[in-house]
Amino acid sequence: KRNAYVPNGRKHRTSSYDISGMDPDDESITDFTKNELLVFKTSFARPKYGNTYRMEPYRKCESHIVRKRAEDILKQKLQDFKYIGINGAPTCTAISEDILAGVKELGFDRYKYIVQLFLVQKTGQSIHIASRWVWDIARDTWVQAQYETENYIMVALVVASYFE
């Protein structure tokens, strides 16, 4: 180790260390040939697909099937749920992930899904939910499913947006 002088009066410490057991003759990871590096690099590359020029999905998103799946998941997950203010957010997150996974299992190709959940405690108030989207009338769709008890209501909004 040695100290180096810096013009503004401060001293910087620099050091160098020797690593024992490393001979320059040992095989190194940097000793690849150009062809080996190319093969190594392409093994991690994403596959490139040709354009299909297909403007319609093979299987169009059917809203009644998505609604049934979302209602079944809400009914199953909220059967024994008791609403307390602090347990609402984690419950909504878990249920929205379950609904998203359930809708993706249906196999509608070329759709992106957005799942929003609203958990509202019933205290005699009314609620209005509004959303705004850039919409393709021919291909995009949305579904509303709800589960209601005497203490709360949960509304699930599933948006299926066609992805070309």
Side-chain angles (χ1 to χ4, degrees):
K1 294 180 183 178
R2 62 179 186 198
N3 294 330
Y5 178 73
V6 179
N8 62 1
R10 297 182 186 164
K11 290 185 177 181
H12 286 278
R13 294 175 57 182
T14 59
S15 60
S16 63
Y17 296 98
D18 291 330
I19 300 173
S20 60
M22 292 295 291
D23 294 332
D25 296 335
D26 288 345
E27 192 172 315
S28 174
I29 197 163
T30 60
D31 292 339
F32 285 120
T33 64
K34 197 174 210 179
N35 289 337
E36 289 174 333
L37 281 176
L38 184 61
V39 169
F40 184 70
K41 186 177 179 182
T42 57
S43 67
F44 290 109
R46 296 167 102 190
K48 293 184 180 179
Y49 299 106
N51 294 332
T52 62
Y53 302 105
R54 184 167 42 104
M55 297 301 291
E56 296 291 328
Y58 289 125
R59 185 170 176 221
K60 191 172 180 180
C61 185
E62 300 174 31
S63 59
H64 65 281
I65 296 173
V66 175
R67 180 178 294 113
K68 178 73 171 134
R69 176 66 61 100
E71 286 174 350
D72 290 345
I73 291 171
L74 284 175
K75 192 180 294 183
Q76 175 191 6
K77 297 291 181 179
L78 296 174
Q79 208 167 18
D80 300 325
F81 177 71
K82 301 295 180 204
Y83 178 72
I84 304 170
I86 58 173
N87 68 348
T91 303
C92 285
T93 302
I95 293 174
S96 67
E97 290 172 355
D98 292 341
I99 291 174
L100 181 63
V103 170
K104 283 184 176 181
E105 286 175 359
L106 295 174
F108 301 117
D109 63 320
R110 294 186 170 224
Y111 278 92
K112 298 283 185 175
Y113 302 102
I114 300 169
V115 178
Q116 292 181 326
L117 260 68
F118 302 95
L119 178 61
V120 180
Q121 184 178 9
K122 287 185 176 179
T123 57
Q125 80 280 15
S126 66
I127 184 170
H128 298 280
I129 299 171
S131 297
R132 219 176 225 199
W133 306 96
V134 177
W135 204 254
D136 181 3
I137 296 170
R139 297 178 194 100
D140 297 344
T141 187
W142 66 276
V143 171
Q144 173 190 337
Q146 66 182 25
Y147 183 81
E148 188 171 355
T149 66
E150 64 275 353
N151 297 329
Y152 65 88
I153 183 169
M154 182 173 280
V155 179
L157 177 67
V158 181
V159 177
S161 178
Y162 182 71
F163 183 70
E164 293 179 347

